[in-house]
Amino acid sequence: MNRERLLQRLLGLGIGAAAVGLATGGIGYGARELLHRQAEAARRMIGKPLGEQAPRADKVWKKKYGDPIELLVLGDSIAAGLGADLPKETFGARLATRLAKATQRSVRLTTGAVVGSESSMLGAQIAGLRPGYVPDVAVIVVGGNDVTHRVPVADSVKHLEEAIAVLRERGSAVVVGTCPDLGALRPVPQPLRSLGSRASRQLAAAQASAAVRSGAHAVSLADVVGPFFITNPDEMFSLDRFHPSALGYKRTARAMLPSVLAALGVEEHVPFGHQPPAQPSDR
């Protein structure tokens, strides 16, 4: 999603929240005008330094190891790698490289993620894969656009559960990176940022519950990498100050790796911020 569109949608989130008194129990016309002015100011400051096409990184990474693992990445602009300058700096490439080194096997990366996607578009991303393709592990990162579009949490979760079910029926392990905390977006002023933060965390919690209930691993991006983005925004964000930089993707891939290894049966235990699938009797 481009910056102007994101700010417009965050503004919509703020006005919608104000209308029902989400943050304060009764925000009126003055607050809506404040949110509008804040979004306009942030839009002028940020501009559009990035396009809407992420570098294409699909290939076999670390060919020398052989016996490739099939890695599929689905979701939105973070999953696609928007903000990276080079293919090797995208989220998918960073994760593929780390996975290859950890397993001593090559990794064939397939990216189905599309910039600007919501959870409702996961089904189309799966349908667009080549016939007969079965990834060993599928990684899904989605949710930010659902928040800024004010998609009901129940609808977002339903689409995520459907995507997990299709992938698991094909025989793929699934790892879900939950919605990042939009409170880390410094160009978005207060109180607009706080509204986005609250909504994104609510969606992330629902995604995690749905993922583990559906037999997938869940990784809380707000917990495992969110602090790095909050404390080091100049390094972790790209030029637009909305999408991760090369370092931001490096950190995110590193944080996701334990659950990917666990999903593949390489590791047994996962650290804080990671949730393994629920046992069948608990689902």
Side-chain angles (χ1 to χ4, degrees):
M1 171 191 306
N2 64 37
R3 275 59 54 200
E4 182 174 358
R5 209 173 300 154
L6 176 56
L7 284 164
Q8 288 172 338
R9 288 163 188 171
L10 277 172
L11 173 61
L13 170 68
I15 291 176
V20 298
L22 175 63
T24 66
I27 305 175
Y29 175 80
R32 291 197 294 273
E33 284 301 301
L34 172 62
L35 294 173
H36 179 77
R37 290 196 300 271
Q38 287 179 337
E40 288 291 338
R43 189 179 300 122
R44 288 193 300 270
M45 179 177 65
I46 292 162
K48 298 181 180 181
L50 300 177
E52 293 194 21
Q53 281 290 99
R56 293 298 296 176
D58 287 10
K59 69 171 191 175
V60 177
W61 293 88
K62 298 295 180 183
K63 263 187 190 178
K64 63 182 181 181
Y65 293 139
D67 188 20
I69 295 169
E70 295 288 345
L71 170 64
L72 171 65
V73 177
L74 301 173
D76 56 23
S77 55
I78 292 177
L82 186 66
D85 294 321
L86 302 171
K88 68 179 182 180
E89 297 172 345
T90 61
F91 169 72
R94 295 285 198 191
L95 183 58
T97 301
R98 285 185 173 274
L99 180 58
K101 290 179 179 178
T103 60
Q104 294 294 291
R105 292 176 60 184
S106 300
V107 175
R108 182 181 288 109
L109 172 64
T110 298
T111 304
V114 178
V115 174
S117 289
E118 303 169 25
S119 299
S120 61
M121 300 171 189
L122 291 172
Q125 292 180 14
I126 295 171
L129 299 172
R130 59 185 180 272
Y133 172 65
V134 179
D136 294 303
V137 59
V139 175
I140 302 172
V141 180
V142 74
N145 295 314
D146 295 70
V147 173
T148 58
H149 278 134
R150 290 180 288 157
V151 176
V153 170
D155 291 350
S156 297
V157 167
K158 175 176 175 288
H159 291 300
L160 177 62
E161 288 175 327
E162 289 172 351
I164 293 171
V166 171
L167 291 166
R168 296 194 69 239
E169 285 170 5
R170 292 188 180 190
S172 304
V174 182
V175 180
V176 175
T178 61
C179 182
D181 184 0
L182 298 187
L185 301 177
R186 295 291 181 87
V188 179
Q190 297 289 10
L192 198 57
R193 196 192 321 156
S194 292
L195 292 170
S197 177
R198 178 172 178 170
S200 58
R201 284 185 171 274
Q202 288 173 338
L203 175 58
Q207 287 176 320
S209 295
V212 300
R213 186 173 62 244
S214 301
H217 291 253
V219 182
S220 171
L221 294 182
D223 289 330
V224 298
V225 292
F228 294 104
F229 283 85
I230 292 171
T231 58
N232 300 293
D234 292 340
E235 296 178 358
M236 300 298 288
F237 284 103
S238 60
L239 281 176
D240 67 357
R241 289 173 284 178
F242 277 85
H243 294 93
S245 63
L247 180 59
Y249 283 123
K250 183 177 182 179
R251 280 283 188 184
T252 303
R254 178 181 177 183
M256 292 284 293
L257 182 63
S259 279
V260 175
L261 292 173
L264 291 169
V266 178
E267 297 286 349
E268 270 188 63
H269 304 291
V270 290
F272 168 77
H274 296 246
Q275 294 184 57
Q279 295 300 316
S281 59
D282 297 329
R283 291 176 192 166

